[in-house]
Amino acid sequence: MFYGCKTSGVTFDLHALLREIENMFRDRTDSKGLRFKVLGINELPSYLVGDITKLRKVIINLLGNAVKFTDRGYIELRVIIKNEQQDRMRLLIEVQDTGIGIADEEMDKLYTYFEQTESGRLNKSGVGLGLAISQNYVNLMGGEITATSCIGKGSLFSFEIDIKQGNAGELTSKPHSRLVVGLKQEQRIPRVLVVENKKENRDLLTKLLQTVGFDVRDVGNGMEAVEIFKQWKPDFIWMDIRMSVMDGLEATRIIKATETGRKTKVVALTAHALNEEKEMILAAGCDDFVRKPYREDDIFEVMEKELGLKYVYLEDQKKEELAVTVSKLTFEQLKILPDEILVELYKATLSLDTYRVAVLIDQIVRIDASIGLTMKIFCETLDYSRLLFFLEEIKSRKEENHEQS
């Protein structure tokens, strides 16, 4: 059962999507010595109307399984358009590998929650929730995943979905947001000052920036911001506008009146941003503003623009290199994770309540950004098996610490 999970149709760039996915898997296949090809791109229309989010996740899941179970040979992603009428087409996706294969008698377990094939047990790859979820996504898009396989020779997974042709003028969605996980090494680490009246908001933004690698300090009002600015000389300031003691506009005027301040980027955080307030924000010297509530994308995009930053994204790294391991978590990290949230997240994952899972992980990000982002990585790649295992390990470590204390 999927709660809050709907299929939606937007115009998207199919060629860009396939290139993004190809780049995402290229390092992983190269590191295993596998030949990896994406076939059929040149024969496809550039723009389609469909559910890009679900389509992307399903293709990533199928390719992820192919890489996981293939140690030699090749992996191919083939994309074909059938029934080429603008208002009624079928998009055929095929993922073929030369991996370990699946026995005939185990094929019926592929899309069953918590069932595991012998191949999965040998590979120690978990319960395979990702494939079950992918089947649900494809069903919602008007298709069904089918598979053929031969032990020792490989597997072929394919699906067809309803699709329509679009055009560039109808593009309504931004390119798929990529999860920022770090700063590229060839650049200086910027100093960032977070000025935010509410402590919970201040802590959330500070932890988000620290996790990516910024050098961050935070204060709760404009007067403190001016003092820290004089001593620390940050490169970038996130400035809340409405604060006690001294508001953000006055603090910005004081900072921007100095020689150092004129070189410092100040971006306002505001819940209002009406035309009059926009003018006041810019007149005070702010370089830009972001409306509350903001998304992670908003934060990183503005900082990229103002500071000329280069980020490391999730698809640039192997998941194993990014995920924090439970064995490395400190006692304090484990102690502050509320048991009730962890239990609720475990139950939501088991019931495949994807909306609730996302909400709970956002809560964990506010408590500990490194743990929360690890969980986000598992969800981004539909690796719910790893998420469950991760939660079980956290529970075990917390119980061990409780017994020792």
Side-chain angles (χ1 to χ4, degrees):
M1 176 71 71
F2 283 78
Y3 300 92
C5 185
K6 300 178 181 179
T7 185
S8 59
V10 297
T11 301
F12 65 93
D13 187 334
L14 178 62
H15 290 202
L17 173 65
L18 294 174
R19 285 193 296 270
E20 177 198 359
I21 292 173
E22 181 179 13
N23 291 335
M24 185 185 303
F25 282 92
R26 180 63 63 191
D27 287 343
R28 294 170 64 181
T29 54
D30 286 351
S31 68
K32 296 186 75 171
L34 301 173
R35 299 188 302 278
F36 176 43
K37 294 182 179 179
V38 179
L39 304 175
I41 293 182
N42 294 335
E43 287 74 45
L44 299 171
S46 294
Y47 303 103
L48 295 178
V49 179
D51 194 326
I52 183 175
T53 301
K54 291 185 179 63
L55 178 61
R56 181 181 185 275
K57 287 185 175 182
V58 172
I59 296 174
I60 287 173
N61 181 243
L62 294 181
L63 283 173
N65 286 338
V67 173
K68 186 187 302 181
F69 292 111
T70 305
D71 292 324
R72 64 177 63 89
Y74 68 86
I75 294 171
E76 287 184 355
L77 169 61
R78 297 191 288 267
V79 189
I80 301 167
I81 288 289
K82 303 174 70 174
N83 303 327
E84 295 187 36
Q85 301 175 23
Q86 185 169 356
D87 59 343
R88 189 181 176 208
M89 298 188 295
R90 297 284 284 178
L91 178 66
L92 170 63
I93 304 289
E94 295 181 334
V95 175
Q96 185 166 14
D97 64 63
T98 54
I100 59 179
I102 305 163
D104 289 342
E105 60 270 21
E106 297 206 305
M107 294 295 284
D108 60 349
K109 296 180 181 179
L110 285 175
Y111 315 108
T112 305
Y113 303 135
F114 316 119
E115 288 285 350
Q116 190 176 11
T117 64
E118 181 64 19
S119 300
R121 284 189 289 271
L122 291 173
N123 195 266
K124 299 180 181 178
S125 59
V127 294
L129 285 176
L131 195 52
I133 292 171
S134 291
Q135 183 69 283
N136 274 273
Y137 281 171
V138 173
N139 291 162
L140 288 169
M141 292 187 288
E144 182 177 7
I145 298 176
T146 60
T148 57
S149 188
C150 182
I151 290 290
K153 293 186 177 180
S155 304
L156 171 64
F157 284 80
S158 63
F159 64 90
E160 288 186 26
I161 58 171
D162 294 320
I163 209 84
K164 293 181 180 179
Q165 188 166 347
N167 60 69
E170 297 171 343
L171 281 172
T172 56
S173 61
K174 294 171 65 176
H176 181 85
S177 61
R178 299 190 291 168
L179 183 62
V180 175
V181 296
L183 295 166
K184 288 198 173 179
Q185 293 182 352
E186 66 268 17
Q187 57 197 340
R188 185 177 67 83
I189 296 175
R191 291 181 173 185
V192 181
L193 177 60
V194 174
V195 189
E196 167 65 62
N197 186 50
K198 293 184 178 179
K199 185 178 186 303
E200 58 270 26
N201 294 342
R202 187 165 71 246
D203 289 346
L204 173 60
L205 182 52
T206 298
K207 287 180 179 180
L208 173 66
L209 296 172
Q210 286 174 335
T211 300
V212 170
F214 290 101
D215 186 3
V216 187
R217 294 188 185 182
D218 63 271
V219 295
N221 64 62
M223 185 173 293
E224 292 176 340
V226 172
E227 290 304 313
I228 289 289
F229 167 77
K230 291 176 181 177
Q231 301 165 19
W232 194 49
K233 296 180 173 56
D235 303 290
F236 188 102
I237 301 175
W238 283 110
M239 184 70 75
D240 190 12
I241 295 302
R242 304 199 174 187
M243 296 182 289
S244 58
V245 184
M246 180 187 290
D247 66 28
L249 295 179
E250 182 61 24
T252 301
R253 291 188 193 99
I254 295 172
I255 289 169
K256 286 291 189 177
T258 67
E259 184 177 350
T260 302
R262 285 190 284 276
K263 300 174 185 176
T264 303
K265 300 295 183 179
V266 180
V267 176
L269 294 168
T270 175
H272 304 284
L274 300 172
N275 286 333
E276 286 184 12
E277 188 169 40
K278 288 180 194 175
E279 293 175 4
M280 288 193 298
I281 287 171
L282 297 176
C286 290
D287 297 278
D288 204 343
F289 64 90
V290 169
R291 292 182 179 87
K292 299 179 183 179
Y294 52 77
R295 301 172 301 122
E296 289 181 20
D297 290 353
D298 300 329
I299 296 298
F300 292 128
E301 284 175 10
V302 168
M303 296 185 76
E304 179 182 32
K305 180 185 73 173
E306 297 295 342
L307 296 176
L309 297 174
K310 295 180 180 178
Y311 296 124
V312 176
Y313 295 95
L314 171 62
E315 51 265 43
D316 298 331
Q317 298 283 313
K318 294 180 182 177
K319 180 174 57 182
E320 289 76 10
E321 294 172 352
L322 289 168
V324 298
T325 58
V326 176
S327 62
K328 293 181 180 178
L329 297 180
T330 66
F331 175 77
E332 289 302 320
Q333 281 181 293
L334 292 167
K335 186 178 179 181
I336 62 173
L337 288 174
D339 290 334
E340 58 271 21
I341 292 181
L342 295 174
V343 170
E344 193 174 350
L345 177 57
Y346 192 87
K347 290 179 179 178
T349 306
L350 285 176
S351 64
L352 299 177
D353 185 347
T354 54
Y355 175 77
R356 188 63 184 152
V357 166
V359 169
L360 291 167
I361 288 176
D362 281 343
Q363 291 180 26
I364 291 173
V365 168
R366 295 185 182 96
I367 298 167
D368 189 295
S370 63
I371 296 174
L373 285 176
T374 296
M375 293 177 176
K376 277 194 173 187
I377 290 166
F378 296 151
C379 291
E380 176 76 13
T381 55
L382 289 183
D383 203 340
Y384 291 93
S385 305
R386 286 277 298 277
L387 177 57
L388 286 174
F389 182 71
F390 190 69
L391 290 167
E392 288 166 359
E393 283 203 301
I394 289 176
K395 179 176 180 288
S396 177
R397 277 286 311 280
K398 283 172 73 73
E399 289 173 350
E400 287 176 11
N401 288 342
H402 180 71
E403 291 172 1
Q404 293 170 8
S405 61

